[in-house]
Amino acid sequence: MKPVLHRRHLLLLGLAALGLAACRRAPEPVRIGFIGGLSGSVAELGVNGRNGALLAVETLNGQGGARYELRVEDDQQDDDKARAALRSLAAQQVAFVVGPMTSSVAVAVLPLAEQEKLVLISPTATSDELSGKADHFFRVASGAAIGARQLADLMLSRGQRRVAVLMDRRNRAYSESFARSFTERLQKAGATVTTELGYDGTNNDFTALAGLLMADKPQAVLLVAGVGDSALASQQLRRLEPAIGLAVTPWAANTRLLQLGGHAVEGCLALQALDLDGTAPTYVAFRQRYRERFGDDPGTPAVQSYEAVMVGAAARARQAQGHDLRQTLSEPQQRWRGLYSDIVLDANGDTQRPLHVTEVRAGRFVPLRS
C-alpha cells in the first residue's frame, strides 16, 4: 500500500526544494563599470573603447569561473554628467571602472573616485595632471609628455623648426598637456611655435582656423584633436598650402583618419600608442574577433580598453587577503599581460609603453624610426 502524503508534508517538501534551488543559484556576477563619451564630439573614442571592453568581458566569460557583466555609462564629455555616471556605477557596486576615456573627464571625476574608493583604469587619459599621484587612478597608456617629445624630435630632425599648434580644448587636460610638452621640446632646440590656437566647439570653423594658423607661415602644423576634427583641419590647411607638414597625436591616429582625410592627410606624421598592423599573435586574434563582432578594425581605444578590463580582472584574482584592488595594482614590479606588450604599473598607477611614429603613405600608416 502506497504511503499517503499529507498536505503538510507536501508543503515541507516544496520548501525544501526551493531551499535547494536557492543554494544552487548562480553567484552574483562581477560587475565592471565603463565610463566614456558615447555621444557628441568624442563619441568615436568612447564607442571604440566600449566595444573593446565588451569584447574583454566576453573573453572572460568564455574562460569559465566567475561571470562578468559590463555596466556602461555615457559621460557625454560633460563634467557634471560624468560625476553622475560615476555615482551610478558606484551604486551598482562595480568592482572597478574602465575609463574615463578623456583626460578632462578623468580630472573632473577623480576626487569623487577617491571619495568612493573606486578604482579607475583608463585606457586613454594621459594628461600630466594625472601623473605621479598615489590615488585610485591607473592607466594602461603612456603619459602625454612622452609622445609629445618623441613627435617634436622627429619633426626637428626633418627640419621643421616653425610649427603651429591647433588643439581641441573640450579635452583641455590632454590637449594642453600634450601641446605644452611639445612646445617646450621645440623651444629647447631653438625652434619656434608660430601660433597656438584652441577651439571649444563654439568656434570650430576650420576654414577660419586654418587661415589663422597659416598667417605666420609655419612649416608644419600639429593637430591635437580627435579624428574627425583632425581630418577636417587637414583638408583646410592643405587647401591653403598643399605642402604644409602635418602631425597628429594618438587621439586621431586610427584608420578613420585615412577614410575621412583622404588625400589631405598624405604625408601626415601620426603618433600611435600601438602598431595597428602589428603581428603579435594575441593582437592579431583580437583584431579578427573585433572585426567579426563589430564589422570594423579596432582603434587604439578598443585595444587599450580590452587591456584595462583584463588588467582589472587579473588584479582581482591576485588580491591578497586584507588587500583592496588599489593596493594590488600599486604593488611594484608586477607585470600585466597586454595584447601587444606587457604592462608594468608603478606605485602611482602610471606606465611607460613604447609609442610608434608612422607616416601616412598611399592611404596607410607606415612605421618610421623616430
Side-chain angles (χ1 to χ4, degrees):
M1 182 175 177
K2 293 183 179 180
V4 178
L5 293 177
H6 296 290
R7 184 176 298 173
R8 182 182 175 190
H9 292 152
L10 289 172
L11 179 61
L12 290 172
L13 285 172
L15 290 172
L18 286 173
L20 184 62
C23 290
R24 291 177 177 172
R25 189 176 300 152
E28 283 290 306
V30 178
R31 301 180 186 90
I32 298 173
F34 174 87
I35 181 170
L38 304 177
S39 54
S41 63
V42 296
E44 185 160 4
L45 179 71
V47 169
N48 213 247
R50 179 204 60 195
N51 291 350
L54 281 169
L55 206 57
V57 167
E58 291 172 8
T59 300
L60 290 169
N61 286 334
Q63 294 174 351
R67 188 164 56 92
Y68 292 82
E69 284 183 2
L70 189 68
R71 302 294 179 92
V72 177
E73 294 283 347
D74 181 5
D75 63 38
Q76 300 179 52
Q77 192 59 21
D78 178 276
D79 292 354
D80 290 335
K81 290 182 173 64
R83 283 185 279 264
L86 194 64
R87 288 190 188 94
S88 173
L89 292 174
Q92 295 174 62
Q93 298 183 316
V94 296
F96 60 92
V97 173
V98 173
M101 299 298 291
T102 65
S103 294
S104 292
V105 170
V107 169
V109 303
L110 185 52
L112 179 59
E114 290 298 296
Q115 178 183 321
E116 296 285 348
K117 300 188 184 307
L118 183 57
V119 166
L120 308 177
I121 308 177
S122 177
T124 47
T126 59
S127 168
D128 289 346
E129 288 185 55
L130 299 162
S131 303
K133 299 176 181 178
D135 52 26
H136 283 75
F137 178 82
F138 298 81
R139 59 186 173 203
V140 297
S142 295
I146 296 171
R149 291 191 289 265
Q150 188 175 349
L151 192 54
D153 288 343
L154 179 61
M155 295 175 77
L156 286 166
S157 74
R158 293 187 163 200
Q160 295 172 339
R161 302 184 64 82
R162 291 178 55 80
V163 183
V165 177
L166 179 66
M167 70 182 86
D168 183 349
R169 287 204 168 98
R170 288 170 293 189
N171 188 14
R172 178 199 58 77
Y174 171 77
S175 299
E176 293 184 0
S177 179
F178 195 100
R180 181 172 56 253
S181 295
F182 178 83
T183 297
E184 288 173 354
R185 192 71 157 201
L186 287 181
Q187 291 175 340
K188 187 176 180 179
T192 302
V193 173
T194 57
T195 310
E196 186 175 281
L197 291 179
Y199 63 95
D200 60 9
T202 60
N203 63 335
N204 51 337
D205 178 346
F206 291 108
T207 301
L209 289 169
L212 292 171
L213 289 167
M214 295 305 300
D216 289 326
K217 302 189 182 306
Q219 295 168 291
V221 178
L222 169 67
L223 303 171
V224 191
V227 61
D229 287 356
S230 293
L232 289 170
S234 297
Q235 290 167 350
Q236 295 305 316
L237 288 163
R238 286 280 169 83
R239 180 182 62 82
L240 293 175
E241 177 48 71
I244 189 70
L246 298 173
V248 299
T249 72
W251 191 2
N254 62 55
T255 53
R256 288 282 290 164
L257 180 72
L258 308 177
Q259 296 163 3
L260 297 174
H263 292 299
V265 296
E266 278 293 308
C268 179
L269 298 177
L271 183 66
Q272 295 179 328
L274 68 146
D275 180 3
L276 293 171
D277 293 321
T279 58
T282 50
Y283 170 67
V284 171
F286 166 81
R287 185 173 59 197
Q288 183 59 35
R289 287 180 56 212
Y290 191 95
R291 286 171 176 167
E292 293 170 357
R293 179 75 164 79
F294 300 108
D296 199 2
D297 282 332
T300 298
V303 174
Q304 294 181 166
S305 287
Y306 180 97
E307 292 178 325
V309 171
M310 302 306 278
V311 167
R316 286 189 76 257
R318 288 189 200 176
Q319 266 182 256
Q321 188 172 4
H323 280 208
D324 61 22
L325 188 62
R326 188 195 70 78
Q327 290 171 312
T328 302
L329 286 166
S330 299
E331 290 175 5
Q333 306 306 316
Q334 291 198 93
R335 304 185 79 84
W336 308 96
R337 182 165 296 178
L339 283 173
Y340 62 98
S341 67
D342 283 350
I343 301 163
V344 180
L345 302 175
D346 65 20
N348 295 318
D350 299 324
T351 187
Q352 294 191 22
R353 303 178 75 182
L355 295 166
H356 304 267
V357 182
T358 64
E359 183 175 22
V360 179
R361 296 178 186 168
R364 292 184 62 250
F365 291 112
V366 179
L368 298 176
R369 291 183 179 179
S370 58

